[in-house]
């Protein structure tokens, strides 16, 4: 699975858009980009995933560059409850009966300030 | 709503004790996982299971075993707890995609975690 690089920490003002970058320059053609977040003292929570097209759901938007070497997670109107560690993960879906093995890196600690 | 429930949020055990961590999911998922999370090391996969009575080692299986007797339940067992097993333990589950399809769904559902302290 491709390695990802994220900034260790970021700050954002409440109500503004939070843009979290992720570099995955070694990504291969069949690897997906996944984003999870972990709020303090809770288990990680799935946010969104995509292959090459931009994706949007009720939580966030995912923008993947045309060369797929980087992506940005956008929280359009950040709230204090969005303060968490955000993980960007790149992996190829498994065709075998094996499980969904996700490798979590260190992530970005996002702090939303009032 | 999707639910993954871990039996205990906080446990304190003594070195050498046998420890059981239970995880139950109500989504009829085939895949279940146990991770541990430590500061500076991120989440590391201990074991996973893609079917009843099936299990596979993850990246750090030493000192652990697992049991999957029923589809909804995945147990992590520390036969003889040691202080270096003090950690946050996270259970997760996911769907197994139709086997003839090329990919497996991307979403993992996690429990709240069990913080184990071994004295």
């Amino acid at each position: 699975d491709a390695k990802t690089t994220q900034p260790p920490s970021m700050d954002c003002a409440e109500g503004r858009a939070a843009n979290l970058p992720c570099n995955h320059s070694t990504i291969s053609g069949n690897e997906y980009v996944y984003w999870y977040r972990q709020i303090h003292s809770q288990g990680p929570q799935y946010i969104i995933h995509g292959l090459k097209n931009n994706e949007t759901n009720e939580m966030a938007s995912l923008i993947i560059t045309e060369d797929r070497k980087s992506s940005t997670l956008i929280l359009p109107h950040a709230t204090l409850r969005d303060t968490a560690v955000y993980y960007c993960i790149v992996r190829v879906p498994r065709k075998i009966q094996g499980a969904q093995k996700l490798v979590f890196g260190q992530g970005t600690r996002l702090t939303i300030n009032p | 709503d999707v639910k993954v429930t871990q039996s205990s949020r906080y446990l304190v055990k003594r070195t050498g004790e046998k420890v059981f961590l239970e995880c139950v999911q109500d989504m009829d998922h085939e895949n279940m996982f146990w991770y541990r999370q430590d500061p500076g090391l991120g989440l590391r996969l201990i074991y996973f299971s893609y079917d009843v009575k099936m299990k596979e080692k993850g990246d750090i299986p030493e000192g652990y075993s697992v049991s999957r007797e029923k589809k909804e339940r995945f147990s992590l067992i520390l036969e003889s707890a040691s202080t270096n097993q003090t950690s946050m333990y996270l259970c997760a589950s996911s769907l197994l995609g139709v086997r003839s399809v090329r990919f497996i769904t991307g979403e993992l559902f996690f429990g709240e975690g069990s913080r184990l302290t071994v004295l």
Side-chain angles (χ1 to χ4, degrees):
Chain A
D1 295 338
K3 180 179 168 58
T4 62
T5 304
Q6 299 176 253
S9 63
M10 292 182 63
D11 285 88
C12 180
E14 188 178 16
R16 306 296 291 269
N19 298 293
L20 292 96
C22 180
N23 285 320
H24 30 79
S25 58
T26 60
I27 192 170
S28 61
N30 58 350
E31 287 183 307
Y32 282 66
V33 180
Y34 298 89
W35 283 86
Y36 283 76
R37 74 179 182 183
Q38 187 171 21
I39 296 169
H40 183 62
S41 297
Q42 297 183 22
Q45 176 189 25
Y46 165 84
I47 302 173
I48 199 167
H49 74 281
L51 181 62
K52 53 184 175 183
N53 298 320
N54 297 337
E55 302 287 344
T56 295
N57 62 21
E58 64 279 2
M59 290 182 68
S61 295
L62 174 61
I63 308 298
I64 303 174
T65 58
E66 194 169 339
D67 63 7
R68 303 208 325 121
K69 293 183 185 300
S70 66
S71 59
T72 301
L73 179 74
I74 301 172
L75 308 177
H77 305 287
T79 71
L80 298 179
R81 287 176 294 181
D82 292 320
T83 292
V85 178
Y86 287 77
Y87 297 97
C88 168
I89 302 158
V90 173
R91 70 177 301 277
V92 59
R94 304 294 180 193
K95 191 169 67 171
I96 60 175
Q97 193 182 359
Q100 179 80 7
K101 178 180 172 178
L102 292 179
V103 178
F104 287 76
Q106 297 303 306
T108 296
R109 184 172 298 278
L110 175 68
T111 302
I112 306 301
N113 300 307
Chain B
D1 252 5
V2 162
K3 192 78 172 169
V4 177
T5 304
Q6 294 184 227
S7 54
S8 306
R9 288 297 307 272
Y10 301 94
L11 300 96
V12 179
K13 297 291 181 180
R14 297 209 173 271
T15 300
E17 277 193 81
K18 191 169 186 175
V19 182
F20 291 89
L21 298 178
E22 303 283 340
C23 175
V24 177
Q25 50 94 4
D26 64 0
M27 299 159 286
D28 202 34
H29 284 172
E30 291 88 353
N31 299 328
M32 296 188 76
F33 311 78
W34 275 105
Y35 287 85
R36 65 176 281 178
Q37 185 173 31
D38 302 286
L41 296 176
L43 277 79
R44 294 180 291 167
L45 183 64
I46 305 171
Y47 266 98
F48 61 94
S49 167
Y50 50 84
D51 202 353
V52 175
K53 298 193 185 296
M54 304 300 288
K55 61 185 179 184
E56 286 200 22
K57 293 179 180 179
D59 300 316
I60 50 163
E62 296 78 20
Y64 303 94
S65 62
V66 290
S67 173
R68 184 104 181 261
E69 296 297 319
K70 293 184 178 181
K71 190 176 185 180
E72 67 271 17
R73 188 180 297 271
F74 193 36
S75 303
L76 181 69
I77 303 152
L78 287 68
E79 292 288 341
S80 178
S82 62
T83 54
N84 63 10
Q85 292 179 309
T86 291
S87 185
M88 168 72 89
Y89 289 88
L90 290 156
C91 174
S93 73
S94 74
L95 277 171
L96 179 69
V98 175
R99 291 170 194 179
S100 62
V101 176
R102 286 175 298 169
F103 66 90
I104 296 168
T105 185
E107 187 169 356
L108 272 179
F109 296 89
F110 282 86
E112 293 289 303
S114 299
R115 185 166 292 283
L116 171 67
T117 301
V118 183
L119 303 174

